[in-house]
Amino acid sequence: MELSKIEPSASEREPTEKALVDQAKEYLQQRLQKLAPDAVLTQAWDVFYQTYTDVLRRMAAEFRLDAQESEDLVQEVWARVIVHLANFEWHEHGAGLRGWLYMMIRY
């Protein structure tokens, strides 16, 4: 098994995910204020979006929708994430962002 294929555990992933979430929140806040986020925040947003688009697609696959419906669901969730990410609170022993996203995709 290749080491690059091993996914980090939740406890190993948490500090990185938290930092990425914080940067994504800052990126969205700056965009909301009609400011131009710097290159670091823009890159963080791109990584955040790509990473969690893949996560959302895997979650959407559980609903057994056709490809277009699944992609529409992912985009609808992104619209909600953009609006509500500022309200997401990181809890040390909670479900984390993936749990929050799963709740968003289910409703």
Side-chain angles (χ1 to χ4, degrees), residues 32-81:
L32 184 64
Q33 295 173 354
K34 299 188 186 320
L35 300 173
D38 65 22
V40 171
L41 288 179
T42 300
Q43 181 179 9
W45 172 258
D46 290 344
V47 169
F48 179 81
Y49 183 82
Q50 280 301 321
T51 299
Y52 292 103
T53 293
D54 292 342
V55 170
L56 289 170
R57 284 183 178 139
R58 285 192 300 273
M59 290 176 181
E62 293 179 19
F63 297 103
R64 303 194 195 292
L65 304 170
D66 69 36
Q68 186 58 53
E69 290 174 325
S70 183
E71 203 56 34
D72 289 347
L73 177 59
V74 169
Q75 292 307 310
E76 288 171 17
V77 171
W78 269 118
R80 284 183 269 159
V81 167

Side-chain angles (χ1 to χ4, degrees), residues 3 5 7 21 26 33 38 57-58 61 63 65-66 69 82-84 89 92 99:
L3 290 178
K5 302 240 180 198
E7 189 168 325
V21 168
E26 182 62 27
Q33 295 173 354
D38 65 22
R57 284 183 178 139
R58 285 192 300 273
F63 297 103
L65 304 170
D66 69 36
E69 290 174 325
I82 288 168
V83 170
H84 298 289
E89 293 183 22
E92 190 172 325

